[in-house]
Amino acid sequence: MASPEKKPFSFFILVVDLALTAVAFSIFYWLVNSHVPSNDPAMIMLWGGLASACMSGVFWLALQMLKTVFVFQRDSRK
């Protein structure tokens, strides 16, 4: 059985993924910030940032899975 060929690591793709994740973080932070049950601005920033970080991590994983499935389907058509 032949081993699948590995593609080299691309810094450009990493930067694009990080930029998309940063945009997602900003959107999540904007949405979540108003739902933090506090009047203290520091606590709103803390919990809004932590919740947005968790959701951005899920976004990152979903993006990586989407790319992997796309590459697999594209390669299986050949």
Side-chain angles (χ1 to χ4, degrees):
M1 181 177 202
S3 63
E5 61 182 64
K6 282 192 149 186
K7 295 186 180 181
F9 179 75
S10 172
F11 283 110
F12 177 72
I13 299 298
L14 177 64
V15 169
V16 170
D17 289 348
L18 288 174
L20 287 173
T21 305
V23 168
F25 178 85
S26 299
I27 292 170
F28 293 146
Y29 183 76
W30 178 69
L31 290 171
V32 168
N33 221 11
S34 63
H35 296 284
V36 176
S38 178
N39 291 328
D40 184 16
M43 287 294 117
I44 292 173
M45 287 177 55
L46 173 70
W47 293 108
L50 289 173
S52 299
C54 290
M55 294 184 344
S56 296
V58 171
F59 176 81
W60 174 272
L61 290 173
L63 181 63
Q64 300 311 311
M65 291 181 350
L66 179 70
K67 290 181 353 185
T68 302
V69 169
F70 175 75
V71 169
F72 176 76
Q73 287 182 346
R74 186 186 63 200
D75 291 345
S76 65
R77 288 184 188 151
K78 294 180 183 177

